[in-house]
Amino acid sequence: MIVVIFLPAIIVIWQNQQKTIVEQARIRALTLYQMITVTRQWVAENRDRIEPVPAVATKELAGYADSMTSFRFHITSDQLINPDNYPNEFEVRAIAQLREGEMEYSETGVDKTYGKVYQYAAPLLLNESCLNCHGYQGYSVGDFRGLISVMVPLDELEASIKKTNFTLVATMFIDPTGLIIAVTLHLYRLLLRPLDTLTTAVGKFLEGDVPATTPTETEAELEVVSAPFEPLYAQY
């Protein structure tokens, strides 16, 4: 009965948790994208203070991420200046969507190195400071220049969700089971045991073996049942 009652709820919770994993990965990837764009903007506005241009800084930061973090990111475009930034299959699909006006694109997939991953991409739209490097290419403010893609492994998020799910499911089964056991024991003490005593006493009485005591002393309901036997006991 517990399984029948709670199985639909467990299925719904599991489905929602899968959506939660993707949403948490999206939030993490979006945060990383925003941090990268902020870094690029700072580099673009401080060209007289630092040597690397934004694209070089982004690429070098991606190299640090490869060796120091669990996430990966990449800058790319369909109009490359540096061939090293060539887009992968996911990024090709993302570029097509972002050029149509979408502000983000994402997929879940499997990476040979990191297992199940969440891939996220958002556009690089040019502003005034970007034209210092790209103005000669004919770009204007607001034009699509390329994208930054972020890859977030899902293993850690899924492990956390699975742990939460286990606790939730265990609670959903343990609490009702404990309640059923408590109610059963209470019912046995108040009703079933006295009723069994009464039944045994009546059986003995019919066999001519009159018990030495009243069959039972219990709540009003069973006292009503046992009351007719009181005069018989009085005769003996």
Side-chain angles (χ1 to χ4, degrees):
M1 184 180 297
I2 294 175
V3 172
V4 171
I5 292 174
F6 287 103
L7 184 59
I10 292 172
I11 293 174
V12 172
I13 291 172
W14 183 85
Q15 292 175 340
N16 287 335
Q17 293 288 27
Q18 296 303 306
K19 295 179 181 178
T20 300
I21 290 173
V22 174
E23 181 60 21
Q24 288 181 352
R26 176 188 170 275
I27 293 171
R28 182 179 295 185
L30 176 60
T31 301
L32 294 170
Y33 164 79
Q34 292 171 338
M35 291 177 61
I36 296 164
T37 55
V38 167
T39 302
R40 287 173 55 84
Q41 186 66 26
W42 180 82
V43 173
E45 294 180 0
N46 290 273
R47 290 289 307 281
D48 57 335
R49 297 171 54 194
I50 59 175
E51 182 176 346
V53 297
V56 173
T58 305
K59 184 178 178 181
E60 292 184 359
L61 287 172
Y64 282 110
D66 287 343
S67 60
M68 298 176 64
T69 69
S70 61
F71 67 88
R72 301 290 179 267
F73 68 89
H74 184 225
I75 180 173
T76 189
S77 174
D78 55 355
Q79 298 182 22
L80 294 174
I81 297 176
N82 186 346
D84 292 339
N85 296 335
Y86 194 82
N88 59 30
E89 293 181 1
F90 163 74
E91 291 166 339
V92 169
R93 293 190 293 272
I95 289 172
Q97 293 295 318
L98 298 178
R99 277 198 174 279
E100 293 295 323
E102 298 291 336
M103 294 308 297
E104 60 181 12
Y105 179 79
S106 63
E107 294 178 1
T108 56
V110 178
D111 182 82
K112 293 180 180 179
T113 304
Y114 302 102
K116 192 173 181 180
V117 296
Y118 176 81
Q119 299 178 94
Y120 175 91
L124 289 172
L125 303 178
L126 297 181
N127 56 31
E128 288 288 348
S129 59
C130 299
L131 297 180
N132 294 329
C133 294
H134 299 286
Y136 76 94
Q137 296 174 294
Y139 286 105
S140 301
V141 172
D143 286 348
F144 176 86
R145 175 65 187 93
L147 60 78
I148 291 176
S149 66
V150 180
M151 184 183 73
V152 178
L154 293 178
D155 290 346
E156 182 179 342
L157 290 173
E158 287 191 333
S160 176
I161 292 296
K162 286 179 180 178
K163 184 177 180 180
T164 301
N165 283 345
F166 177 81
T167 303
L168 180 62
V169 171
T171 302
M172 291 176 66
F173 278 99
I174 292 173
D175 286 355
T177 301
L179 179 61
I180 290 173
I181 293 173
V183 170
T184 301
L185 293 176
H186 192 61
L187 182 64
Y188 175 76
R189 184 176 66 85
L190 293 181
L191 180 62
L192 299 180
R193 186 171 62 185
L195 187 59
D196 183 61
T197 302
L198 177 61
T199 302
T200 301
V202 171
K204 290 183 177 181
F205 186 86
L206 293 175
E207 294 173 358
D209 182 10
V210 181
T213 60
T214 303
T216 184
E217 294 181 2
T218 182
E219 301 297 330
E221 290 81 359
L222 285 182
E223 288 180 1
V224 171
V225 176
S226 61
F229 295 94
E230 298 294 337
L232 298 176
Y233 276 88
Q235 295 178 11
Y236 293 90

